[in-house]
Structures are given as structure tokens and as C-alpha cells.
Amino acid sequence: MLHSLILMVAQTTVLLAISPFLVGVIRKVKARLQLRRGASVLQPYADLAKLFQKQPVISTATSWIFTATPYIVFTSLLTAGLLVPTFTSQTPMNFAGNIIALVYLLALGTFFLILAGLDAGSAFGGMGSSREAIVASLTEPAMILSIFAIALTNGSTNVSTIVHKTALLEGIVTDPSPHLMALAALFIVALAETGRVPVDNPATHLELTMIHEAMVLEYSGRYLALLEWSAGLKLAVFLSLIANVFAPWGIATTMTPAAMAIGLLVYVAKTAALAVLIGVIECMFAKLRLFRVTDLLGVAFILALLGLLFFYILRS
Amino acid sequence: MLNLLWILLAGYGAGILLPLCLPRRPEAQSLTAGVPAIVATSAGVVLGLLGLTSSEPVTGSLASTIPLLTLAIRLDSVAAFFLFTISVVGLAASIYAIGYLRHLAGRASIATLGALFNAYLLAMTFVVLADNGVFFLLAWELMSLLSYFLVVTEHEKMEVRYAGLFYLIMTHIGTAFIVMAFLIFFQSTGSFSFETFRQPGQPLTEGMRNLVFLLVLIGFGTKAGIVPLHVWLPYAHPVAPSHVSAVMSGVMIKTAIYGLIRVYFDFFDGQFPWWWGFTVLFLGTISALLGVMYALMEHDLKRLLAFHSVENIGIILLGIGAGMIFQSYGLKELAALGLLAGIYHTINHALFKALLFLGAGSLLYATHTRNMEEYGGLLRRMPWTGFFFLIGAVSISALPPTNGFVSEWLVFQSLFLSFQIPTVFLKLMLPIAAAILALTGVLALACFAKAFGIAFLAQPRSAHARHAQEVPVPMRIAMGFLAAFCVALGIAPMVVVPLVDRVVAPLAGLSIERKVLALDGWALAPVNVEFSSLSTPMLALLLAALAMLGLGLAVALGGRLKARHYKTWGCGINLTPQMEYTATGFVQPIKRVFSTIYQPTVKLETEFLDESRYFAKRRRFEFHIEPIFEKYLYDPLVAFFATLAGRLKVIQAGSLHLYLTYIFITLIALLLLAV
Amino acid sequence: MQVFSSIGSQLIDLCSALLLLTCFAIVAQRRLSACVDLFALQSAFLVLTATLVAYLTGNQHIYIAAALTGVIKVIIIPRVLRKVIDRLNVKRELVMYVNVPTGLLISGGLVMLAFFIAQPIIPLGSILTRDSLAIALAIVLIGLFTMIARQKAVTQLVGFLVLENGLFLGATAATHGMPLIVELGVFFDVLIATLIAGIYTNRLQDAFDSVNTDRLTILKE
């Protein structure tokens, strides 16, 4: 019991600590590829600290939804983060929910963000909310199918169990194609859900292109800090998911301190590598028009479906 | 238990008679109708719970002088469950009505409305209790007719009369199919008693069984609003008074689910080929998806909710359909799981849909309009209604840790466990159904983000909304009651699952309570703890604890800075409600992405100033979506019957002698036939 | 019948799956030059598959076929096509008969169909892997579908080439490669077909000021 509690606290701390770092890595990679020096990878921490210190301004048009939303989003993402293994494959909260719970916890945050976008009564927020609604509705089927395709090989839909079994090589050994397709699908989903190019651009403040930034436009001070941190958390959750489900090597499968230490190092390395990849992608591709995003997410859905198909065909 | 039944009957009886006989003051009438209804429904709640927990079904019967009709009732666990659902929603609606009827004073007779409402609840109670075919049909017909009368309460409006007529026709077509199915049973058993339907002397032939399957599916499907038989539902449900809408959408359509379960799992004892289940699953998927899609385009709050009923019936059928498929492959545990998921969702939908309809009624009460574009900013004016509506919205969007999430999660699990089915086709189809369910879930989220966001947030969009006030206490109590249920059923599945399991166990042939509950009931782990698990109490606890962490972080890192309040930045000009995002604008991307389904027509007319083509004087924007089923399925049918009727007009000469001749010829023919 | 190590057959399956993935990318891609690049990538995967098959079966002539594929389909044909695109100055497909998400869904359906058709054939023996034949069939179907769904002559040509890639994959995977002489003939055919189609596209541009093949309906009068 105490053991689980310590692990939970550790995992929460790791997630909270690593998320600004991952954002920093992406920004740094982008800057370097654009031949800029770029800010230090630790800059996001300083940004957060600064935002927390600022006095928030709240619109008089808003209701309690507006001030409650940052806390709800932050909470739902942290809870989702506890369902995904990070440095150890046996997360204590594994029993609390499987992938469906994970997806719907993320949806809880999305729901309140959409509401908050509408609350201030400015057209920007409404536009962001409206776009978020369509992007979210297209990503989730692909996400559920892709993780399900992987879940089948391990006989479990609990993320931690999947990772633990894969790390110990206990799953059904099949050809790599279903995994490959599911990975591609999940990666596209991750880009869309975390608001990255080519779906959304976190660095823009141009009304034609904003999605996530438009929804949080009216926020300031500690509320904005919480939302920025949450955006980082979402990134961390998705990167942990991808890194640990598809490449669980090095993750701590036992409870010894040595294994945990190695697991932590490997975890940071893996997620940082994925963050670098995202940075490269952001430099290589242009942002898609909103109505072309459907093409991309359509690809993700079909890939996940094919992964599933291949799994069944290969096993029969 | 029989005493409770008598209390229930007496309550409804008093509720029918008292408002009609006693003084004519509206306040008194709403009380004389409401209080007996509250007593009766409370008795129904207790009776339902007792029926669920008792081991033997309670039966009783009264002979009648009408041939074939026996007033037989049987309270087994299935009936008890539905009785409980009806009574809980009926209770909330009755409390609500005490406050709400004031709003209708002057436009409708409150006494008649109250009496009809009690009779309607009574008819529904008998539908689920009936143990005899004729009695069942009698109650069914009574329920349909009474709900028709309630739908046309505001009959001076053309729209209401049209909706009522449409409903009346569709429901009778449905009833005709059910009658045919029961006649087939009667033909082979020689009795209308449900007992003989269960154990017929000579079993039905294969073809007859398939016929009965289809007849029952169409018959009950019409009432349930399964696509493509749903067309009447979004007309009829919204125009009724809101507490009646709540009961219609919340529980009346569930009597159809009751009928389906009764026939397939009870009368047929779960013996059927796989394609029965697949048909149900397929229709469920289509209903879920199309229901939510049409709901998204709807800006009349009550019509939006009515379309969501189509969606949720679809989700219930997904669970039941999956259960039926598993049943035909002999996967007993999974069959029980599918049924459990469907039935769990049945009560959940009853609760949150009733809550949302009551919320919509409160908005109607406060603003006198159903058009969402005229709401706005209501959360500050109606904090209680807003809060309860939010809980309903969160529940119907299946967000953790509310009840909608738990049952939808169970449906997902039963679809995922399809990998145990031996055929590859079904192995693939069920996960695809799960993906469509995921799409449905997120679209529902978008829809309720729209409904709540446009109605309750930002600035008021009309004078009605600006002057809105919080609704009377009884209405708030009713909504709060249902909202508390929604949360409780979400975080306490360990209480609900054993109860629902008692419904499922006799139908599926085994109890899976122990299989579904793990860790002393703290987690749900359908069939196999390894495969999946969910613990909503734990999630709720985590959410609460981490919210504290968030607050703590904000305080620790930022101190106690007081927020400054200022109006929203509008690029230098004052923001007016006209600049806010509208419901139409909100769903525009969705409309465009799914234009294949919506077939939208958009018309934009611009009138320019005479001086210059660069300045518009007036703009007119119009868009509507094609009601595919009405256009391509119902209109041709109607046209066909109209032509047919035109042809048959020849025999209607208007001459009395000719009609007498017809009767004469028919009589002779029948006599000859009898020889 | 030689039994291969499961790793070898898994690798072939993986390569075939990559071929299929590029197919989907082509269906989803609107830019003509990207379609051509993707085709080149697909051909490169094909070379990899063929080399693997050659190594595993020890059939020397498949090496030659693989090398020819590399030269013709990875280098020459894409170069020809890029030239055509440059000359025509058409960058992207704006109007399609079937929009992209629907096209993807149809392609997904085609893959399922291919697997269902190929399933009874697979146990008949003499096939290297379990699913590369089905994938080959799927690629053929998707190639054909692309030809139907797109308007521009260049993408139709890419569709045809994709179809041919599918045939080649089927041939190597199912029959350990056709006799060398047949393969040489096929390569020659494809090369000529591409050149002719390139010229035809240019003529189309000259005649109608467009490379939309639906303009050809005007010719009937």
C-alpha cells in the first residue's frame, strides 16, 4: 500500500517534471534546424514560474467554468498519466482503468477546454472550440483501434499490462506488421491530440490557424500556467505511451532501485528522442488546412484498421 | 409485496381521479395530481428493488369476462428492473411537474394533464408487469394513446398536431407488427399467456422464428426509435410538456428494449442464429452514429435531446446485439456481459436523459424558447439548473467518473472481447463497431459541449435570456435528485452490477457478478482481470486528490494573487453577443467533414448597397440538411400508398346500398368459407 | 518445398506491408510530385523484398530482376514522370471523383476483400509467406482503384505502375519469380508504356489544355 503510494507520487513527479523539458526539447530542435540558437531546453520551466507569479485577468463575461477548467484539465491529464507506465512497467494504478478509460479521461479535459473556449464570448475562443471538437472526434476512433490492435497481441487492454508483458516478451509473437501500422496510426493521433504541426501549431497566434491556442486565448496568470503545463503533460502522456508500448526495452520490470534508476534514465532518453522526432517533423511539414486534416486522420484510422486486420489474418 | 402493489395502484388511481374531481385552482390541481404520483412512484421504486432482490417471481392474476384476456401480472427480475427505472424517472418527473405545470397554466388544463400523466405512468407499469399477450397489448396501446394525448397538449399549434399525428400513425404501425408476432405465438400455443409462449407445446418452425424475430424487431424498433424507424421521435418527443418528454425519452422507449429482451431471451430462451445478433448490432451501430450526427445539427434543444435518444438506444442495442452474437456461439459469459452492458446503459440513459429533458424544460420555463441561439449566459442566472444540466451533459458524453462512462465502457469491453468468436468476419466487425462507438462518443461530447456552451456560457444572446431567472424549488429538487443518481451510479458500480446481474442471470443462464467485479468490488474487470479493468471510485478519488494538487501548486508557486476582472478583449471594440460563436457556427466543420451524410444545402443571399458592390446591405444565410430517410424511404412509401388509395377510391361510391352489398357479399363469402 | 526461417518470412511480410502502406500514402496524397516520389519509394521497398526473396530462395535470376526494378522503377520512370509534371505545370489534383477519406475507406475495404479472396489460395503451398500474396492482390486492386478515382493522366499512370508493382510482388512471392525472360519482357513493356503514356499526356495537354482525362469524352463527336 505504502509502496504503491510512493510509486504514484514518484510517477506524478516524473510526469510533472519531464513535461516542460519535452516542450523545451522540441523548441530547441526546431530552432537548431532553422539555424537559430534557440532558448535553453529549460526555458519552459522559467516560463511556467513566471506565469504563476503573474496576476490573472478574468473576463467579466465568464462563469465559474472558466476558472475551474484549468484545474479540471490539469487533473484529468495527470490522472490519465497515472494509467500509463513511465519508468516502471508496473504502475500501481493499472487496475483503475484501461485504454478506454485513458481516452475518456483525455476527453474529459477536452470537453471542459471546449466549454472554456466558448465562455469568454469572443469569436476566437469559439472558433478554437469548434475546431477542437472536429479534430478530437476524428482522432479518437483511430486511437482506440490502434491500441486495440496492440492489445490483442498481449491479451490485455490495460496499458501497463501490455507494456509489462511486452517487456518480458510474454505476448503472442506475431509478425511485426500489425505493430508497425498501429505505431504509425498512434503517432499521427499523438500529433493531432497534442496540437502539433501538421494539425495545429502551438507557436502561432494567427486566427486562421489556431486551434488549441485559440481556446486558451483569454487565459492569463496561474490559469495559463496550468494550461501550458497540461499541454506539456498531454505530450508526455502520449510520448510515454508510444515509447513504452512499442519499445519497452529498458523499462524497470522489477521493483529494485537499480532497475528503477535505469528505467528512469531510459525513459527520459526515449521520450526525448521522440520529442526530437516531433521537432524534425514540425520543421519538415507545413501545417495542413483544417479540412485536409481529415485526410491525415483518415490515414490513421485506416492504418489502425489494417493493423487489426493483419493481426487476425496472420493468426488464422 | 402485494401491499406495495396496491399502494401503487391506489396512488395512480387517486392521481387520475383527484385532480378531475377536486377544486379548480391550478396550484391545488398540480398538487392533487403530483402528490399521489409521488406516492405511487415511490412505491414502484421500492417494489422494483424488492422484485430485483427476491429469488422467486411474484405472480398474480384476475380473470376477466373478455375472452383470451387474463389480467395476469408477473414481477420477475426483468420486470422489476424496468419497473424501478420507470418509477425513478416517474418520481422525478412528478416532483418536477408540481413546479413546471404553472408554466402551462392558461394554455392547457392542468387537471387533465395531471390525470393523463398518472394514467400514462400506470399504463407503462402494466406494460412491464403484464404476463399475458392480450393484457400486454392492451397496456401497450393505452401507453401509446395516452402519450399521444400528452404530446398534443398544446394542440393549437400546427407543429404539435403534425407531430402528434405522425407519432400516432408510426406507433400503430409498430403495434400492428407486435400483434402479428403475438398471433404467430398464439397459433402454435393456443394461448396468449406468456408462460405458454416460453414453453410452447409444439415449437415454432425455423422460418416462423425468423419471422417473429423480424416482426418484433420492427414492432418494438418503431417505439424505440431505431434508425430508420426513428423519424417520428424527433417530432413527437420535443413538443410534449418537458416532464412528459423526460418520461417518453427516458423510459417509454425503454419499454421497447424490455419487449425485445423479453421475446429474444425469455420466449426464445436465447436460442437463435448469429445473424439475429448481428442485425441488432448493425442497427444499433447505425442508430448510434446517425442519431448523434443529426443531433449535432439541431439547434432546438429538445429536438437535440430527442435525437440523442436514438443514439443511446443504439448504444444499448450494441450491448444487447453483442450479447446475442456471443449467445449464439455459446460464449455464455460474454453473452451475459453484453446484456449487462446494455441493461446498465438502459437505466443510465433513463436517468441522464430525463435529467437533461427536465433541464431543457427549465430553460423553456425561464426563457420561453427552445431555440439555443437565443440562450446564452444562463449559468450565471440559473446556477442550479446549469450545474445539474452540466452533470447530465457530462454523463451523456460518457466522461468519467459518471454513470454513462461506466456503461459505455462495458459496451466497449463486450465488443473488444469479440476476439473469442470463431469467425473472422465477426471478429473484424465488432471492433469496427467499437470504433464507430468511439466516434459516436466524441461527437456526443461535441454536441453537449455545444449545447451547454451555447446555452449557459458567454453573454445572453437575447432579451429572454437576459431576463431569465432560476426555476422554482420543486423543479430544482427533481433535477438534483436525478443528477445525484447519475453520479452515484457512476462511482458505485459495485452496487449496480450485482442488481443488474440479477436481471441478466435468468436470461443468459449464468451469473457473472463474480466475474465482473474484482478487488472486492472496487474494480470492474469483465470476465478476466488481465484483459481489462476499471475502477471509477479510484478514478474519482484520483481526480479529487490531483485537483487538490493542482490547487496546491497554484497557491505554492503563485501565492494568493487576486484576479482582476475586466471585459473580454475584442480587438479594440466592445464585444456584443452578436460576435459570439453561434451553435450553427460551432458545428460547421463537422457539417462539412461529414457532408456525405448530411447532404447540406447552403444558401447565402447578399443584397448590396446601390452605390457600391463592396458594401453589403443585408445578408441572408440559410442552411438545412437533407432528412435522407424521410426523403428516400418514407416519401416514396407515402406516395405509393396515396396512389394505391387513389385506385381503391373506385369502390367508395358513397352509396349506402353499395356498402350494404359489400357487407352482404362478405357475409356470404365468410359463411361459405366456414363450411 | 524449402522451409524458411520464420524471421525471413516475417521480414518479407514486413516489406510487403510497407509496400501496402505506400499505396495508402499515394491514395491520400494530392500533390503529383509527391505521388511520384512515393511510387519511387514503393519500388525501392519492392527491390528490398525481391532481394530478400532471392536470398532466401537462392534463385539467382531474382537478383537480376531486383536490380532491373531498381534501375527502371526507382530511377528512370520517376525521372520521366517528374519531367512530364514539370513541363505540364500541374502541381496538384484539385478535383477527384472520390474524396480522400472515402478513397481510403474504399482502399481499406479492398484490402479486406483481397485477404478474403487470397485466404483459400494460401494453403495450396509453394508460397513463401502467408500474406504477401494477399498484399500483392490488394496492391493491384488499389492501383486499379487509383486509376478510376483520379482525373489527371499522371496520377492514373502512377496507379498503373502501382498495379504493376503489385503484380511483380505477387509473382516473386507466389512463384519464386517468373522465368527471367518473361520478367525482362514485362520490364520492357512497362518502360514503353510509361514513355507512351508520357507522350500521350503531353499530347493531351496540347490538344485540350488540360491533362484531365475526362476531357476525352469530347472526342466522340
Side-chain angles (χ1 to χ4, degrees):
Chain A
M1 186 65 201
L2 187 68
H3 204 70
S4 308
L5 211 60
I6 293 170
L7 264 182
M8 265 167 66
V9 172
Q11 178 148 1
T12 315
T13 320
V14 167
L15 279 170
L16 283 176
I18 202 173
S19 46
F21 169 71
L22 293 174
V23 175
V25 169
I26 296 180
R27 287 192 194 152
K28 188 76 179 174
V29 169
K30 277 177 80 173
R32 297 303 302 173
L33 284 175
Q34 291 162 353
L35 297 178
R36 287 187 287 122
R37 267 290 251 319
S40 147
V41 290
L42 301 178
Q43 184 62 37
Y45 295 95
D47 290 347
L48 283 182
K50 180 188 72 186
L51 281 174
F52 270 114
Q53 295 293 334
K54 293 259 183 193
Q55 182 191 28
V57 184
I58 293 172
S59 164
T60 43
T62 57
S63 59
W64 60 267
I65 296 279
F66 187 78
T67 40
T69 294
Y71 297 104
I72 297 176
V73 173
F74 183 77
T75 307
S76 66
L77 281 167
L78 260 188
T79 313
L82 284 180
L83 302 181
V84 179
T86 51
F87 60 94
T88 164
S89 64
Q90 287 162 307
T91 48
M93 279 301 119
N94 187 27
F95 76 94
N98 63 348
I99 47 166
I100 304 288
L102 179 72
V103 169
Y104 277 84
L105 277 171
L106 297 178
L108 178 68
T110 309
F111 180 75
F112 277 93
L113 257 186
I114 291 177
L115 290 188
L118 289 167
D119 202 7
S122 103
F124 293 118
M127 189 177 60
S129 300
S130 162
R131 291 175 176 177
E132 177 75 10
I134 182 69
V135 172
S137 56
L138 292 172
T139 51
E140 296 207 355
M143 181 165 173
I144 284 184
L145 266 194
S146 65
I147 311 187
F148 181 57
I150 305 153
L152 281 174
T153 58
N154 292 291
S156 174
T157 56
N158 283 32
V159 186
S160 187
T161 315
I162 296 177
V163 173
H164 191 62
K165 282 187 154 185
T166 324
L168 295 176
L169 296 175
E170 275 181 359
I172 306 159
V173 181
T174 55
D175 306 52
S177 359
H179 270 89
L180 188 80
M181 296 189 178
L183 171 65
L186 196 62
F187 193 73
I188 295 176
V189 167
L191 288 180
E193 280 274 338
T194 54
R196 292 278 148 194
V197 174
V199 174
D200 187 9
N201 186 354
T204 185
H205 275 98
L206 187 67
E207 63 267 31
L208 287 174
T209 56
M210 298 191 284
I211 301 179
H212 182 265
E213 295 307 308
M215 282 193 293
V216 303
L217 197 63
E218 300 301 328
Y219 279 105
S220 54
R222 56 173 174 271
Y223 301 111
L224 184 60
L226 278 172
L227 285 172
E228 296 269 326
W229 211 343
S230 308
L233 273 174
K234 200 168 189 180
L235 187 69
V237 168
F238 269 98
L239 295 191
S240 316
L241 191 66
I242 292 176
N244 285 334
V245 166
F246 294 96
W249 311 300
I251 197 168
T253 49
T254 54
M255 291 294 173
T256 56
M260 297 258 187
I262 295 174
L264 190 60
L265 282 177
V266 173
Y267 170 69
V268 174
K270 276 190 292 194
T271 45
L274 281 171
V276 169
L277 180 63
I278 289 183
V280 173
I281 288 176
E282 294 220 322
C283 279
M284 279 172 61
F285 292 95
K287 190 190 160 305
L288 285 171
R289 266 177 65 209
L290 184 66
F291 292 106
R292 290 280 176 267
V293 169
T294 50
D295 297 1
L296 185 71
L297 296 175
V299 171
F301 182 77
I302 293 293
L303 283 175
L305 193 64
L306 283 182
L308 200 66
L309 180 78
F310 272 48
F311 176 79
Y312 281 130
I313 300 295
L314 294 173
R315 297 233 16 229
S316 63
Chain B
M1 258 201 250
L2 273 177
N3 290 340
L4 272 171
L5 190 63
W6 287 120
I7 295 176
L8 183 143
L9 291 179
Y12 284 133
I16 296 168
L17 293 177
L18 287 181
L20 294 176
C21 306
L22 287 180
R24 305 221 155 263
R25 281 204 358 264
E27 291 80 17
Q29 282 171 340
S30 65
L31 276 181
T32 46
V35 174
I38 292 170
V39 172
T41 44
S42 309
V45 170
V46 180
L47 191 61
L49 279 178
L50 285 177
L52 268 178
T53 45
S54 78
S55 49
E56 280 295 305
V58 182
T59 52
S61 73
L62 277 174
S64 75
T65 49
I66 305 165
L68 296 174
L69 173 70
T70 324
L71 297 174
I73 61 160
R74 182 164 185 270
L75 183 73
D76 57 4
S77 56
V78 186
F81 173 81
F82 281 90
L83 176 65
F84 176 77
T85 312
I86 290 169
S87 303
V88 169
V89 174
L91 178 57
S94 310
I95 299 173
Y96 186 86
I98 295 175
Y100 184 73
L101 285 180
R102 222 178 295 167
H103 157 70
L104 289 169
R107 279 188 287 163
S109 156
I110 288 176
T112 327
L113 206 56
L116 280 174
F117 186 62
N118 275 298
Y120 173 49
L121 288 177
L122 181 63
M124 239 184 313
T125 309
F126 276 129
V127 165
V128 295
L129 287 181
D131 196 32
N132 173 288
V134 181
F135 186 32
F136 176 88
L137 287 172
L138 205 66
W140 183 265
E141 182 59 25
L142 210 58
M143 172 181 86
S144 302
L145 275 180
L146 287 165
S147 55
Y148 164 74
F149 289 134
L150 287 164
V151 163
V152 295
T153 301
E154 296 182 63
H155 51 78
E156 63 283 350
K157 292 183 194 156
M158 179 62 203
E159 164 208 22
V160 175
R161 288 201 301 275
Y162 173 77
L165 190 64
F166 197 1
Y167 170 47
L168 197 64
I169 294 169
M170 286 302 285
T171 188
H172 279 94
I173 293 173
T175 311
F177 278 93
I178 303 173
V179 171
M180 276 192 269
F182 279 16
L183 283 176
I184 291 176
F185 274 118
F186 176 69
Q187 200 186 21
S188 82
T189 61
S191 156
F192 271 111
S193 159
F194 280 176
E195 203 50 48
T196 56
F197 284 11
R198 276 180 209 112
Q199 278 125 7
Q202 54 190 87
L204 296 174
T205 60
E206 192 60 37
M208 278 300 171
R209 287 166 65 91
N210 290 340
L211 185 62
V212 169
F213 164 71
L214 291 174
L215 288 174
V216 168
L217 190 62
I218 296 172
F220 286 118
T222 313
K223 188 61 110 194
I226 299 174
V227 172
L229 301 164
H230 68 289
V231 281
W232 61 272
L233 200 147
Y235 289 99
H237 283 196
V239 295
S242 295
H243 64 294
V244 178
S245 311
V247 175
M248 283 178 80
S249 243
V251 289
M252 186 176 73
I253 58 175
K254 305 299 158 41
T255 57
I257 298 292
Y258 164 79
L260 288 177
I261 292 178
R262 186 59 93 192
V263 174
Y264 296 160
F265 279 91
D266 196 5
F267 296 171
F268 284 141
D269 199 24
Q271 303 293 321
F272 32 70
W274 68 269
W275 65 266
W276 287 23
F278 183 72
T279 311
V280 172
L281 183 90
F282 181 76
L283 289 176
T285 316
I286 300 286
S287 304
L289 189 61
L290 290 183
V292 71
M293 287 214 149
Y294 286 116
L296 267 165
M297 291 302 128
E298 207 47 73
H299 303 143
D300 171 337
L301 187 56
K302 286 179 79 176
R303 266 179 73 96
L304 179 148
L305 292 175
F307 271 120
H308 268 287
S309 296
V310 177
E311 178 219 339
N312 279 284
I313 284 290
I315 296 175
I316 294 170
L317 288 182
L318 273 174
I320 293 176
M324 286 172 76
I325 292 175
F326 292 132
Q327 180 85 10
S328 35
Y329 284 103
L331 300 163
K332 289 271 180 198
E333 283 178 2
L334 299 186
L337 177 66
L339 264 181
L340 183 104
I343 293 177
Y344 199 159
H345 198 70
T346 303
I347 184 154
N348 287 345
H349 175 244
L351 294 170
F352 57 65
K353 184 49 64 67
L355 169 60
L356 288 166
F357 259 116
L358 296 186
S362 300
L363 293 186
L364 187 59
Y365 183 95
T367 63
H368 309 287
T369 172
R370 289 180 355 215
N371 183 2
M372 277 167 44
E373 309 280 28
E374 292 181 37
Y375 295 157
L378 292 173
L379 189 58
R380 293 154 76 94
R381 286 160 186 80
M382 304 166 70
W384 289 102
T385 307
F387 180 66
F388 297 139
F389 195 91
L390 182 65
I391 291 183
V394 169
S395 301
I396 198 172
S397 310
L399 296 175
T402 53
N403 61 351
F405 170 65
V406 180
S407 47
E408 233 175 276
W409 186 85
L410 284 168
V411 175
F412 268 117
Q413 299 317 313
S414 52
L415 292 174
F416 279 172
L417 284 161
S418 60
F419 67 88
Q420 301 191 8
I421 301 175
T423 46
V424 174
F425 174 69
L426 289 174
K427 269 184 189 175
L428 271 175
M429 284 304 140
L430 268 64
I432 290 177
I436 294 179
L437 179 59
L439 178 62
T440 309
V442 195
L443 287 177
L445 180 153
C447 190
F448 277 92
K450 175 191 90 168
F452 186 83
I454 301 294
F456 286 98
L457 301 181
Q459 296 180 53
R461 293 155 203 271
S462 70
H464 290 311
R466 237 187 330 275
H467 299 127
Q469 278 175 347
E470 186 55 281
V471 293
V473 180
M475 292 164 74
R476 278 184 259 166
I477 292 177
M479 288 188 284
F481 173 70
L482 289 174
F485 253 103
C486 282
V487 176
L489 259 62
I491 55 179
M494 60 283 219
V495 181
V496 189
V497 167
L499 288 176
V500 177
D501 184 61
R502 297 193 66 91
V503 184
V504 173
L507 299 174
L510 86 167
S511 158
I512 54 160
E513 181 191 333
R514 283 163 193 288
K515 287 269 177 186
V516 173
L517 292 178
L519 304 176
D520 302 332
W522 286 100
L524 293 174
V527 189
N528 176 352
V529 88
E530 183 98 297
F531 183 73
S532 57
S533 62
L534 172 79
S535 170
T536 34
M538 195 65 222
L539 282 182
L541 203 66
L542 277 181
L543 285 172
L546 292 171
M548 287 297 123
L549 175 70
L551 276 173
L553 276 176
V555 173
L557 293 173
R560 296 195 152 271
L561 285 173
K562 200 166 158 44
R564 198 153 62 91
H565 289 267
Y566 199 72
K567 61 188 180 196
T568 308
W569 167 247
C571 302
I573 46 173
N574 282 327
L575 275 187
T576 65
Q578 276 84 37
M579 298 174 194
E580 287 168 16
Y581 237 59
T582 58
T584 319
F586 186 84
V587 295
Q588 198 269 348
I590 294 176
K591 185 182 76 190
R592 189 159 155 185
V593 167
F594 297 105
S595 56
T596 327
I597 290 175
Y598 291 129
Q599 311 270 325
T601 25
V602 177
K603 221 159 72 183
L604 179 65
E605 287 168 12
T606 314
E607 241 179 84
F608 293 103
L609 283 182
D610 297 332
E611 294 81 17
S612 165
R613 296 265 307 162
Y614 291 106
F615 295 94
K617 190 158 63 178
R618 194 185 317 171
R619 282 235 161 89
R620 216 183 117 69
F621 175 77
E622 203 179 291
F623 101 93
H624 58 96
I625 54 173
E626 202 77 75
I628 302 176
F629 291 102
E630 282 170 57
K631 189 169 169 190
Y632 296 107
L633 183 65
Y634 286 90
D635 286 356
L637 266 181
V638 169
F640 170 72
F641 280 110
T643 331
L644 197 67
R647 294 270 168 75
L648 289 178
K649 218 157 53 181
V650 192
I651 61 170
Q652 296 275 3
S655 144
L656 192 61
H657 294 284
L658 195 60
Y659 293 155
L660 285 173
T661 320
Y662 290 155
I663 295 171
F664 181 67
I665 293 171
T666 317
L667 183 65
I668 300 283
L670 281 177
L671 284 173
L672 283 175
L673 214 71
V675 176
Chain C
M1 181 63 217
Q2 195 179 346
V3 179
F4 301 105
S5 65
S6 72
I7 303 240
S9 87
Q10 276 194 21
L11 276 177
I12 294 179
D13 274 349
L14 184 64
C15 285
S16 326
L18 285 171
L19 273 160
L20 191 59
L21 283 192
T22 43
C23 260
F24 277 94
I26 290 174
V27 173
Q29 188 53 261
R30 286 161 193 266
R31 286 212 322 276
L32 298 185
S33 59
C35 277
V36 174
D37 292 345
L38 282 167
F39 164 71
L41 181 69
Q42 187 182 47
S43 306
F45 285 134
L46 190 62
V47 173
L48 200 63
T49 319
T51 319
L52 267 173
V53 173
Y55 175 73
L56 291 170
T57 57
N59 275 348
Q60 296 300 323
H61 75 261
I62 298 185
Y63 281 120
I64 302 174
L68 272 174
T69 311
V71 173
I72 296 178
K73 286 186 182 161
V74 183
I75 299 168
I76 299 180
I77 293 183
R79 185 166 290 182
V80 170
L81 287 178
R82 276 188 210 111
K83 277 231 172 84
V84 172
I85 291 172
D86 278 347
R87 180 178 176 276
L88 299 179
N89 202 21
V90 271
K91 290 277 178 292
R92 53 180 69 213
E93 194 108 21
L94 291 174
V95 185
M96 298 189 192
Y97 291 120
V98 182
N99 69 13
V100 170
T102 320
L104 284 168
L105 281 178
I106 292 175
S107 307
L110 289 176
V111 176
M112 287 195 202
L113 184 74
F115 271 102
F116 280 113
I117 295 170
Q119 219 166 19
I121 308 172
I122 291 169
L124 291 180
S126 88
I127 295 170
L128 284 177
T129 69
R130 277 169 297 181
D131 59 341
S132 48
L133 183 67
I135 292 181
L137 187 56
I139 293 174
V140 170
L141 291 176
I142 294 176
L144 202 54
F145 167 72
T146 316
M147 292 181 74
I148 298 169
R150 300 297 185 96
Q151 279 189 334
K152 301 274 185 274
V154 179
T155 24
Q156 285 179 335
L157 188 54
V158 171
F160 169 73
L161 291 167
V162 166
L163 186 156
E164 212 283 324
N165 271 355
L167 283 179
F168 184 80
L169 176 69
T172 36
T175 64
H176 305 195
M178 293 175 278
L180 188 58
I181 187 74
V182 180
E183 270 166 18
L184 284 178
V186 171
F187 278 123
F188 190 65
D189 280 353
V190 171
L191 195 58
I192 295 297
T194 312
L195 292 175
I196 292 176
I199 297 165
Y200 148 82
T201 314
N202 287 340
R203 297 281 300 161
L204 201 63
Q205 168 79 13
D206 294 342
F208 298 108
D209 247 0
S210 158
V211 285
N212 286 5
T213 42
D214 54 356
R215 296 293 178 89
L216 291 175
T217 48
I218 305 171
L219 288 178
K220 68 186 169 203
E221 277 128 38

